């Protein structure tokens, strides 16, 4: 028996990286998972076990910045599966490393369109379904940069500060309907985004990227970077009844890096 047996979950940005880790953890805990992404998430869905009642994971193409498409997709999911129990808002984009005063409008617009507007669109569509059900879990992917200033990542950081703030507001608004809303703040995680960022830093410093990665891992109090499995385990816990009295929280997932409340 899993903690999430036969619950219906949607995970955005689940074709790879942290999103794929979330999808695996939810499915391994018994959920039937719909993997949503702009790119092909079928390989992730095909790798997941069926739920105990025999329903297989599925993959859909979804641009979270298109609120009309989001509304239609979530309505289809609720109609096909009969409910929507868990929404993991993980879709997100980074930014080229740059000071805020050197960051162009197109980067600001893209980062906020995906990380903030997209999260709101999905939370709005999923939250309406959960309000009618009078139950549900919304779990947003924020960042440690959404709780602590991070030079060079100002626009991305601002978008994740927004995720933390909107999580708190949604938690208060939806509590009366039995819906909890929380977010996870990952630290330095082993993802393509991490390697891209370290590659940019290494190039600007004239250093080797892998050397910088090793130094960063060694600087984290627990001695390593986080993984997709770490992220999935945290989200599965928050989605379960073990966390039923927790809402409006921002969970650190940093290995002790930049400890904060």
């Amino acid at each position: 028996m899993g903690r999430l047996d036969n619950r219906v979950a949607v995970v955005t940005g689940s074709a790879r990286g942290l999103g794929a880790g979330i999808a695996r953890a939810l499915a391994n805990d018994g959920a039937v998972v719909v993997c949503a992404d702009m790119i092909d998430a079928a390989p992730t869905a095909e790798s997941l076990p069926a739920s105990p009642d025999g329903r297989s994971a599925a993959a859909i193409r979804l641009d979270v910045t298109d609120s009309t498409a989001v509304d239609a997709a979530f309505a289809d999911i609720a109609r096909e599966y009969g409910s929507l129990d868990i929404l993991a808002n993980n879709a997100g984009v980074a930014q080229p490393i740059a000071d805020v005063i050197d960051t162009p409008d197109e980067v600001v617009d893209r980062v906020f369109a995906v990380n903030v507007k997209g999260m709101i669109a999905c939370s709005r569509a999923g939250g309406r379904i959960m309000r009618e059900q009078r139950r549900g879990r919304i779990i947003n992917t924020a960042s440690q940069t959404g709780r602590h200033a991070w030079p060079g990542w100002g626009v991305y950081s601002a978008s994740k500060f927004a995720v933390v703030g909107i999580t708190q507001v949604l938690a208060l608004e939806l509590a009366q309907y039995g819906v909890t809303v929380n977010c996870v703040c990952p630290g330095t995680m082993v993802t393509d985004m991490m390697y891209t960022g370290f590659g940019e830093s290494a190039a600007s410093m004239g250093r080797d990227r892998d050397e910088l990665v090793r130094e960063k891992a060694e600087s984290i109090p627990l001695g390593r970077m986080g993984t997709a499995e770490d992220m999935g385990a945290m989200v599965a816990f928050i989605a379960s009844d073990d966390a039923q009295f927790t809402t409006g929280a921002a969970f650190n997932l940093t290995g002790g890096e930049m400890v904060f409340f």
Side-chain angles (χ1 to χ4, degrees):
M1 295 289 291
R3 293 178 297 180
L4 306 175
D5 280 356
N6 305 320
R7 298 185 192 182
V8 178
V10 174
V11 183
T12 67
S14 48
R16 59 191 178 191
L18 299 185
I22 293 169
R24 286 193 296 270
L26 297 180
N28 288 338
D29 232 338
V32 54
V33 180
V34 178
C35 301
D37 208 309
M38 282 191 67
I39 62 176
D40 186 13
T44 298
E46 291 166 0
S47 72
L48 303 180
S51 59
D53 63 4
R55 290 180 292 178
S56 298
I60 62 171
R61 296 265 189 171
L62 183 64
D63 178 357
V64 298
T65 69
D66 183 343
S67 61
T68 300
V70 168
D71 287 344
F74 278 64
D76 287 345
I77 290 166
R79 184 165 47 249
E80 179 176 351
Y81 291 91
S83 67
L84 174 60
D85 305 297
I86 301 163
L87 168 59
N89 281 315
N90 177 75
V93 295
Q95 66 161 99
I97 296 174
D99 289 349
V100 172
I101 60 175
D102 296 320
T103 303
D105 283 348
E106 56 266 27
V107 172
V108 177
D109 292 344
R110 177 61 177 163
V111 169
F112 272 80
V114 178
N115 297 0
V116 181
K117 180 185 175 184
M119 184 270 290
I120 291 174
C122 291
S123 296
R124 197 166 53 204
R128 289 171 183 152
I129 295 168
M130 293 177 182
R131 179 176 62 187
E132 292 301 312
Q133 297 172 165
R134 303 192 73 83
R135 71 179 189 279
R137 302 279 191 268
I138 298 175
I139 304 158
N140 301 318
T141 298
S143 170
Q144 69 174 345
T145 68
R147 306 188 74 185
H148 191 286
W150 200 284
W153 288 80
V155 171
Y156 177 80
S157 178
S159 75
K160 294 303 185 177
F161 267 94
V163 170
V164 174
I166 293 167
T167 295
Q168 294 172 349
V169 172
L170 283 170
L172 296 176
E173 293 176 345
L174 293 175
Q176 63 185 308
Y177 304 109
V179 179
T180 67
V181 188
N182 295 284
C183 64
V184 181
C185 299
T188 308
M189 312 293 281
V190 180
T191 63
D192 291 342
M193 186 184 296
M194 180 275 291
Y195 281 112
T196 297
F198 273 86
E200 293 177 11
S201 295
S204 69
M205 299 165 60
R207 295 192 57 191
D208 178 71
R209 184 199 68 179
D210 292 342
E211 181 181 354
L212 285 183
V213 169
R214 284 193 299 273
E215 290 177 1
K216 182 62 175 179
E218 291 169 357
S219 74
I220 296 171
L222 287 182
R224 66 173 178 86
M225 295 182 180
T227 65
E229 288 68 33
D230 293 321
M231 184 69 176
M234 178 69 83
V235 172
F237 162 71
I238 300 169
S240 76
D241 290 343
D242 293 336
Q244 62 183 296
F245 196 59
T246 296
T247 197
F251 290 86
N252 297 339
L253 190 67
T254 68
E257 182 181 15
M258 286 185 142
V259 173
F260 34 64
F261 294 104

